[in-house]
Amino acid sequence: MIENTSIKELKGIGEKTQKLFEKVGVSTVGDLIRYYPRGYDVYEDPVPISEVEEGKVQTVAGAIFGRVQVSGNRNMQVTTIHVKDLTGTIKAVWFRMPFLRNTLAGGGKIILRGRVTSRKGGLAMEHPEIFYPAGKYEEKIHTLQPVYGLTAGLSNNVVAKAMHQALSQLDLTRETLPDELRLKYGLAEYNYAIRGIHFPEDKEVFYHARERLVFEEFLEFILSIRKMKDKNERIENEYIVQRKPEVDELIGRLPYELTKAQKKVWDEIAHDMASDTAMSRLVQGDVGSGKTIVAVLALISVALNGYQGAMMAPTEVLARQHYDSITRLLEEYGIKIKVELLTGSMTAKEKRRAYDRIECGYARIIIGTHALIQDRVYYDCLALVVTDEQHRFGVKQREAFARKGGMPHVLVMSATPIPRTLAIILYGDLDISVIDELPANRLPIKNCVVETGYRKTAYAFMKKQVGEGRQCYVICPMVEESEQLEVENVLDYAAMLQEEMGKGIVVSCLHGRMRQAEKDDIMERFGRCEIQILVSTTVIEVGIDVPNATVMMIENAERFGLAQLHQLRGRVGRGKHQSYCIFMSGSKAKETRERLNILNESNDGFKIASEDLRLRGPGDLFGIRQSGMMDFKLGDVFQDAKVLQMANEAADLLLNDENGWLKNLPKHEGTSSVII
Ligand code: ADP
Ligand code: MG
């Protein structure tokens, strides 16, 4: 069996399962073995019931105490048991699994493993994994069990089984790193690493396997970046963009004065675009530092010079927001430039019209999503491409975007708080500008980290804020089981909150499963303050700007990475009103409190990221994914900063290539592109 073998050759994979695998991007055995686990279940020793901690996944061993109860209505049957050991009793509940009444009717010893939550009347486990009879747990204890990303119909078990087969039948893959390099950095051999990442015998094996794969991933990425840099250095500027008085006039008439940092960055951009070589620049700035206006000035300049400029945003909601605010701005200042919106959810007819206006050059500023880089879009004279929230796009997409023009100027914007040393490695092909100050009129956000008992107080506080004309966001508790449950959860939560808030206040919700038009509609109404409280999953995180919103309440804050929490918090504190962020923690664990306190004490994204890094041990690799921002398949630029530096050094060695290593460097077939 080789990497190109179709997964259909594996036992137990019929047409139906094959289709499901295709949905998650796996069609060959090679794809399969590079379908890395999302995380691992660690089966620890059971803990005494009196010592379970809220918010953690734990295992308890005891005896079923009393009867198995099934309550609730037909749509939502709740099965409850009580489990008792020498130290105490804990409740366990399952939703929609009434058949458990029969399964567990025999009573006796049982082991449960699941997240401990607080319910009325004490701690409980929701949907714990059942080991009954209890002896079944023995087989798994102390092992790391891979948890794979799934899709409806595809179970973890099926993936794990297929993986076992693939790994045992696959011919050895040729090592891709030169031995000298592997030895120099103490990296595991490829075949060992690929087995170790899926089925590590213990944590040591896992760390070693993972480090090797992360190294390789970073190295490949850095090498591709370096190649781009070489290319870019020679690009002549085909679109000389002169500074126009209209732009300076516009800056003078904005409702606020640009910060010193914004002015400096704008100067750098204007200078680049008028120089002999094409611009390729990264603008880094914390959430709320005002990156948009700087990009907009660049777009307007380009348009006034008779060219086209386009800006790509990661979500439709954000694209539309940019489109609306640019259109409004131009109208207000009487600048006649045609702005076009292009997104995937537009009708075929709308799209065709937009394509026409873009191709003939009538549309001068084009705002959109990935739709901007589709094959069918032809630009007339594209001189500038801007990607907003760059960390959401792949380098490949950025390149594809740039190729839409002759050799357009490239501007990428990112709020990712990474130290400069790392930014230079990751964005090696770009010059870097930093907006390192926030607008002066901002009041610092007031933060608090609270436990779930504070919820009612928080609601009362939100009610008061809404009474004063403000708006609030609530990020819903997370559910792990499935996206379907997550949606129900958001809906339930919003209904509950609506009840709590009473008739005069409009509570709505937003989640990933909604149709785009619905999402846009909700966001627009929230923007116009027709909705006062928005209950949402993390889809809200990127870029949304509603300055009147002053409260951000985040449920289950302990389950997010700090950088992501910081992004979420960045949705408030954008206007002149005092803003508040409430981190609701479902865990009383000391480490959690310590971690969340970092946010409590700082509003500075760079500082938060580095503090977070300091607090994290290697054990955290099993838990929360830190950034959720730079989506390497395995690597995490924060956590694996050392490996990143190593890979960077290795890239130097390879590129200098005194040892002739590079030419012998084979590639894995089908290695997918890295997304950052
Ligand atoms: P981000 O850097 O997170 O993309 P935005 O560009 O969305 O931030 O700006 C956040 C808010 O700050 C917007 O409402 C914007 O109009 C406003 N803003 C931008 N620059 C300034 C400034 N110099 N003074 C006051 N407000 C500003
Ligand atoms: Mg932004």
Side-chain angles (χ1 to χ4, degrees), residues 476-477 479 482-494 509-514 535 537:
C476 225
V479 226
S482 73
E483 207 184 339
Q484 183 58 38
L485 269 182
E486 180 162 282
V487 171
E488 284 175 26
N489 194 41
V490 175
L491 297 177
D492 288 350
Y493 195 102
C509 64
L510 198 68
H511 58 76
R513 282 273 184 102
M514 279 174 151
V535 176
T537 56

Side-chain angles (χ1 to χ4, degrees), residues 254-260 262 284-294 318 321-322 325 388-389 413-415 435 438-442 543-547 567 570-571 573-575:
L254 287 174
Y256 46 78
E257 189 178 344
L258 290 186
T259 61
K260 254 214 275 10
Q262 282 172 316
Q284 241 193 357
D286 211 343
V287 276
S289 59
K291 294 182 290 293
T292 315
I293 185 66
V294 176
L318 194 53
Q321 179 185 290
H322 284 327
S325 65
D388 191 15
E389 307 290 347
M413 302 199 290
S414 176
I435 303 187
L438 294 180
N441 66 344
R442 299 280 165 76
I544 297 299
D545 185 41
V546 179
Q567 283 284 326
R571 296 313 110 220
R574 302 187 140 243

